[in-house]
Amino acid sequence: MLELKTPREIERMAVTGAFVADVLAELRERAQVGVNLLDLEAYVRERIRERGAVSCYVDYAPSFGRGPFGNTVCLAVNDAVLHGMPFDYRLHDGDVLTMDLAVSIDGWVADAAITTIVGTAAEEDLRLVRATEEALAAGIDAAVPGNRIGDISAAIGAVAAAYGYPVNTEFGGHGLGRTMHEDPHVSNTGRAGRGLRLRPGLTLALEPWFARTTGRVYIDDADGWTVRSADGSRTAHTEHTVAITENGPVVLTRRIPRADDLADIGT
């Protein structure tokens, strides 16, 4: 069922979004060579406790996962891209690390992800991360009233094609608001002009993610959660929570919310 949010409800989601963006920015600074993933998980758990927020991941138990996720942040390294289960691993120079965080504050959810490169960055890894960031920007630009879900998907997919990266359609973006996953699903590739028409009040998590040389993935048997590229190629993932308003798309997961963003939401 599709739930359109009021301007006031979108403002409340923006409060959650600012917290999510802050924590991700802090994690980017902490993700240095030698740092243990479990220490990053512990840091996020404490930040959530201090804020009085609620993790969307700890009790998350979809059909494709092995029981409740049990952690507060997804940390995916190199060939891992989604639902990365934090484990006893110290980051190495050149690792590609994706950090994905979703929390609820006062009953309203925001979800975002960033990919960073630890220490020395290889040009091909920078290119991969850049592609997801550009794809996300293209998807956001297409998230305007009157367009359709397919216009967002097509915009994301066009960037992937321009970079030469294959696209997986098993996992993609989604609606969110009172819960982490709501209708509709937003594929990372598709046909323009198709699908649900976009209306003000719709809130979406847009999340392009690519592997360098494959569109196929598998779930790691070791933890029953971590999604990895089928051929071991490196991956990247970038995500924002976006509200569709009368004045166009508003990103709710900026680290420092802009005054004109909140003005665009309306009253």
Side-chain angles (χ1 to χ4, degrees):
M1 183 176 69
L2 196 68
E3 180 183 2
L4 300 179
K5 283 71 175 181
T6 67
R8 176 57 183 151
E9 289 169 340
I10 292 173
E11 288 180 357
R12 293 174 70 183
M13 289 180 66
V15 171
T16 311
F19 173 75
V20 168
D22 279 347
V23 174
L24 287 176
E26 292 160 13
L27 287 180
R28 188 196 296 271
E29 293 299 318
R30 288 174 171 269
Q32 303 295 325
V33 174
V35 170
N36 196 305
L37 296 183
L38 294 179
D39 291 335
L40 297 180
E41 158 63 26
Y43 177 79
V44 175
R45 189 175 294 264
E46 179 61 16
R47 288 286 279 115
I48 289 173
R49 186 197 65 78
E50 290 173 346
R51 181 58 177 82
V54 177
S55 170
C56 293
Y57 294 157
V58 168
D59 296 324
Y60 184 47
S63 59
F64 58 80
R66 185 185 298 163
F69 186 71
N71 293 275
T72 60
V73 64
C74 296
L75 300 173
V77 181
N78 295 334
D79 65 319
V81 65
L82 300 172
H83 312 145
M85 178 77 78
F87 66 106
D88 185 11
Y89 176 82
R90 293 192 178 276
L91 293 167
H92 294 83
D93 187 49
D95 277 346
V96 178
L97 173 65
T98 292
M99 300 172 285
D100 189 348
L101 179 63
V103 305
S104 174
I105 296 176
D106 296 329
W108 293 99
V109 172
D111 187 2
I114 59 175
T115 297
T116 189
I117 300 172
V118 179
T120 308
E123 179 54 41
E124 58 266 30
D125 293 333
L126 288 171
R127 183 176 187 271
L128 184 63
V129 175
R130 190 180 307 121
T132 65
E133 293 173 345
E134 291 180 10
L136 178 58
I140 292 169
D141 286 345
V144 297
N147 272 1
R148 294 183 179 272
I149 288 292
D151 294 310
I152 297 175
S153 299
I156 292 172
V159 173
Y163 272 89
Y165 296 133
V167 178
N168 175 280
T169 56
E170 296 171 71
F171 298 97
H174 51 89
L176 77 171
R178 297 181 189 273
T179 63
M180 180 171 59
H181 286 124
E182 298 179 357
D183 291 334
H185 173 74
V186 187
S187 176
N188 284 327
T189 190
R191 295 178 63 182
R194 299 295 183 92
L196 177 77
R197 190 173 295 279
L198 305 179
R199 298 166 57 190
L202 184 62
T203 47
L204 302 170
L206 304 183
E207 49 181 315
W209 62 272
F210 309 136
R212 191 182 298 161
T213 56
T214 183
R216 295 171 49 244
V217 296
Y218 72 97
I219 297 177
D220 193 331
D221 286 338
D223 59 33
W225 273 100
T226 302
V227 177
R228 298 184 180 276
S229 63
D231 63 359
S233 60
R234 290 192 163 191
T235 63
H237 173 204
T238 306
E239 177 180 16
H240 268 313
T241 294
V242 179
I244 296 168
T245 76
E246 295 282 0
N247 298 314
V250 174
V251 176
L252 303 183
T253 43
R254 293 188 189 278
R255 187 176 189 190
I256 303 174
R258 301 185 311 187
D260 56 341
D261 280 341
L262 295 181
D264 282 345
I265 292 173
T267 58

